[in-house]
Amino acid sequence: MSRLSFAAFVLLLMTASCSRPASEKGANTITVSILPEKYFVEKIAGDLLAVNVMIPPGASPVTWEPSPADMTRLGRS
């Protein structure tokens, strides 16, 4: 087995082992950064995904900083 194919195999195994089970809370949630992205994701995913928005309406993306709760929601999505 060549080094490249071995490296690809190891990378594939590591990636597969990092996935979460579908039954885990938040497995059907996606987080987007701004509100217009939410619209597009909802139209594409329909009822399959719940969509969180990181930056609340009216906040500036330049100055907004995530709270610990925001980071927790992001980690679960």
Side-chain angles (χ1 to χ4, degrees):
M1 190 184 299
S2 72
R3 286 184 178 197
L4 182 59
S5 60
F6 179 74
F9 177 74
V10 170
L11 183 62
L12 178 67
L13 284 177
M14 289 185 339
T15 304
S17 67
C18 292
S19 64
R20 297 188 301 188
S23 62
E24 186 176 327
K25 183 179 180 182
N28 294 327
T29 303
I30 188 168
T31 300
V32 296
S33 55
I34 57 175
L35 195 58
E37 292 174 340
K38 179 180 180 180
Y39 172 78
F40 290 113
V41 171
E42 286 177 338
K43 293 300 178 190
I44 293 169
D47 294 335
L48 298 175
L49 297 172
V51 183
N52 290 333
V53 180
M54 287 293 290
I55 302 172
S60 171
V62 176
T63 59
W64 179 82
E65 291 188 27
S67 68
D70 292 330
M71 294 307 292
T72 301
R73 283 188 309 158
L74 180 62
R76 290 183 180 162
S77 67

